[in-house]
Every structure is written in C-alpha cells, then in structure tokens.
C-alpha cells in the first residue's frame, strides 16, 4: 500500500484509504522520523473510525485507549474481526528498557484483537506480533507525506 498525503486537507481521505486496506490486521507499527506525522496520521485514522475522544500522543502515558463511539456503517465489514471498540495507541519513544514494556503487559494489548497503533516500534521490535503491519511515513521534499506499508 502506498498513500500520498499532499497536505492536511488530504488527511481524512488518506485515512479512509488506509482503513479500506487494513484487512484483518489489528497491530500496526508506525515508523518515521520525529515530525514525520505519525501521531497526526493515527489521529486521522481514529477519527475516521468513529473515535470521538480527544486523540493525543501517549508519549508520557505510553498507551492511550480510545473508544469507537459507533462503528460507521460503511466500515463495519473492515472492522468485523475486532473483539472490542477499543483502540490502543502506543508511543514507545521514552522506553529506556524492554522490561518496562513487559511490566505494562503489552501482550494483553497486542493479542487482544483490538486495534493497536504503535509509534516508535523500533524500540520493541522483537515484541511485535509476527503479523504486525509495518507502516512507514516519510516526509517528501515538497512537504507531502508518503505512507507505505508492507500490507
């Protein structure tokens, strides 16, 4: 999958394209440099999925939980495999050692059949499920963003 986001006006459409290609996957690992737009893109995806909560980076909390208020009818086929309406948004940027991730019970999240969006997965690469979808967000010279995944 490859999606180009020319500017912030194109975020919602890019999020809809991403959702349409998620398939049965539930764990998405987002890679990209600081400022590439990982949090902004995840926020757009969550909003398109029907999250009404305030969506922020979980940099200090490590994980935020959002609820899909009501699954939009046009997305029900894409979301039919989910166990719950919960979305878990992780930011592992401040993790100093992998034991912190063990202590937080990462497996309860990653293997819950709930959506998991992970920022800075490089720091926990060995803990990612085998079927995690790797998503790269790259800033282009013209300021646009390219979203590329292995799905």
């Amino acid at each position: 999958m490859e999606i180009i986001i020319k500017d912030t006006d194109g975020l919602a459409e890019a999020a809809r394209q991403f959702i349409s290609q998620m398939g049965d996957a539930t764990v998405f690992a987002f890679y990209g440099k600081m400022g590439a737009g990982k949090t902004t893109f995840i926020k757009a995806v969550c909003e398109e999925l029907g999250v009404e909560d305030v969506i922020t980076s979980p940099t200090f909390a490590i994980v935020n939980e959002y609820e899909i208020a009501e699954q939009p009818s046009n997305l029900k086929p894409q979301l039919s495999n989910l166990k719950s309406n919960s979305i878990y948004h992780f930011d592992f940027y401040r993790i100093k050692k992998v034991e912190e991730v063990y202590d937080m019970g990462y497996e309860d999240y990653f293997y819950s059949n709930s959506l998991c969006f992970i920022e800075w997965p490089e720091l926990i690469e060995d803990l990612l499920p085998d079927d995690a979808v790797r998503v790269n967000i790259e800033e282009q010279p013209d300021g646009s963003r390219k979203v590329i995944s292995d799905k």
Side-chain angles (χ1 to χ4, degrees):
M1 162 182 21
E2 181 174 309
I3 300 168
I4 301 295
I5 307 169
K6 293 185 182 191
D7 53 34
T8 55
D9 292 338
L11 268 171
E13 177 56 32
R16 285 190 290 275
Q17 287 179 37
F18 183 82
I19 293 165
S20 73
Q21 297 180 45
M22 285 177 18
D24 290 340
T26 57
V27 178
F28 296 85
F30 288 83
Y31 298 81
K33 293 181 180 178
M34 182 76 72
K38 296 179 295 292
T39 301
T40 302
F41 187 68
I42 290 170
K43 179 180 181 205
V45 170
C46 288
E47 288 171 349
E48 290 300 315
L49 287 170
V51 171
E52 295 176 354
D53 302 325
V54 174
I55 302 161
T56 60
S57 175
T59 302
F60 293 100
I62 300 177
V63 62
N64 286 345
E65 180 178 359
Y66 313 122
E67 287 294 318
I68 300 172
E70 184 176 331
Q71 291 182 357
S73 59
N74 63 321
L75 297 179
K76 287 191 180 187
Q78 288 98 325
L79 304 178
S80 63
N81 65 314
L82 298 181
K83 182 178 177 184
S84 74
N85 281 351
S86 293
I87 296 175
Y88 299 107
H89 179 191
F90 298 86
D91 185 332
F92 290 119
Y93 182 75
R94 297 195 181 281
I95 292 295
K96 295 192 179 11
K97 50 188 175 177
V98 76
E99 287 78 15
E100 294 175 64
V101 182
Y102 287 119
D103 292 344
M104 71 176 288
Y106 80 94
E107 291 171 314
D108 293 337
Y109 298 103
F110 290 3
Y111 298 98
S112 68
N113 271 354
S114 296
L115 285 174
C116 295
F117 297 134
I118 304 165
E119 296 185 50
W120 300 104
E122 299 89 339
L123 303 173
I124 59 143
E125 193 74 39
D126 292 340
L127 303 181
L128 291 174
D130 292 338
D131 61 351
V133 177
R134 285 152 174 82
V135 181
N136 289 291
I137 300 180
E138 301 170 357
E139 184 175 6
Q140 302 301 295
D142 64 359
S144 66
R145 302 299 195 267
K146 185 187 293 187
V147 180
I148 305 165
S149 82
D150 60 2
K151 181 148 178 72

